[in-house]
Amino acid sequence: MLNTIGLGVLGIDPLTAVYMMSMRLRGERKSRVTLFFLSFAVSTILVGTVLVASMGGAAAGFLQSVLPDDGSRFWAIAELAVSVVILLWVAKRVFAGPKREKKQPREAVRRGVLGHVTMGFVFAVTSFTDPTFYAVMLIGGESRSVVTAALLLTLWFVVSQCLTMVVYAAIQCNRLDALAARLDEWKARNHAMFNHMLHGVLVVVAILLTADATAFLSTGGYLL
């Protein structure tokens, strides 16, 4: 359980929380948000549990086998591409002039039940690319218990999606507007410091990715 909690912390995902917040702010009903959340949660936990139940500890290896191996040239190319995107994004933010933000009126969204279920599954697919998900599946497979595997995957989901859980609770308690207002207030108060830190971290990440990719293309081995 401690290992699973640690893996959950390493796999924290803010993207789903942001998407769920945008759903509600665009006018989606709470029942639709719940449908998306349940589809996302059930798909993530159920697929992992089924794979562990059918393949045991080999389930993680099976999922990893569909991805390029650690020594593949693919990762060097991907690192270079990501570093270029990061540097271009930072340069655009640093050198572009200040933009005036226009508040857009909220529009009620009309999306069918199938659309929300599908989006939940699409977000669940992103979990299948997370190495911490593989690690939890491996732990569950070694336990030789489907119930234990399901509980560990559920625990990992709760920890890694803690931000999503907070947003979901705020929506259900009708406190999303207050949460959004607090986030905007914090952003306005710490905007400059946050931007400097964000840009610095991203530049360092881009440099490390470039160095790692360059080392592989030059010597055939990764630094990281």
Side-chain angles (χ1 to χ4, degrees):
M1 288 180 64
L2 291 176
N3 288 336
T4 300
I5 292 173
L7 291 168
V9 172
L10 292 176
I12 286 179
D13 167 33
L15 297 180
T16 309
V18 172
Y19 177 78
M20 189 179 294
M21 182 180 291
S22 70
M23 286 178 64
R24 185 58 177 166
L25 293 177
R26 291 198 313 267
E28 285 282 12
R29 289 178 294 175
K30 289 195 292 185
S31 60
R32 301 298 191 185
V33 175
T34 298
L35 185 63
F36 164 79
F37 176 74
L38 291 178
S39 173
F40 171 56
V42 171
S43 297
T44 303
I45 298 170
L46 183 61
V47 169
T49 302
V50 169
L51 287 174
V52 170
S54 59
M55 303 178 65
F62 168 75
L63 284 179
Q64 288 180 312
S65 67
V66 302
L67 296 174
D69 58 51
D70 293 339
S72 172
R73 182 182 294 268
F74 169 83
W75 300 116
I77 298 174
E79 285 180 334
L80 286 175
V82 171
S83 64
V84 169
V85 171
I86 289 175
L87 292 175
L88 289 176
W89 185 82
V90 171
K92 182 179 179 181
R93 284 178 59 93
V94 170
F95 296 108
K99 294 190 297 185
R100 298 175 59 185
E101 295 184 0
K102 296 181 180 179
K103 291 187 177 180
Q104 300 293 336
R106 295 185 184 179
E107 298 180 358
V109 178
R110 296 291 182 266
R111 179 175 292 171
V113 171
L114 182 60
H116 290 288
V117 173
T118 302
M119 283 303 300
F121 180 77
V122 168
F123 272 79
V125 170
T126 63
S127 298
F128 308 153
T129 63
D130 189 335
T132 62
F133 181 71
Y134 299 147
V136 175
M137 288 180 59
L138 184 60
I139 295 173
E142 290 175 346
S143 70
R144 301 183 183 279
S145 169
V146 176
V147 174
T148 300
L151 291 175
L152 291 177
L153 286 166
T154 302
L155 178 61
W156 173 85
F157 179 86
V158 170
V159 176
S160 64
Q161 296 296 331
C162 59
L163 299 177
T164 303
M165 305 289 284
V166 170
V167 171
Y168 180 74
I171 291 173
Q172 297 304 314
C173 297
N174 297 318
R175 300 294 297 172
L176 183 62
D177 287 336
L179 177 62
R182 285 182 178 273
L183 291 175
D184 288 340
E185 180 184 351
W186 180 88
K187 181 181 177 182
R189 188 169 58 248
N190 303 280
H191 184 69
M193 180 189 71
F194 177 78
N195 277 343
H196 291 325
M197 291 179 60
L198 176 63
H199 295 160
V201 169
L202 288 176
V203 168
V204 171
V205 170
I207 292 174
L208 291 175
L209 290 175
T210 302
D212 193 38
T214 303
F216 176 81
L217 296 175
S218 303
T219 66
Y222 287 106
L223 294 175
L224 305 178

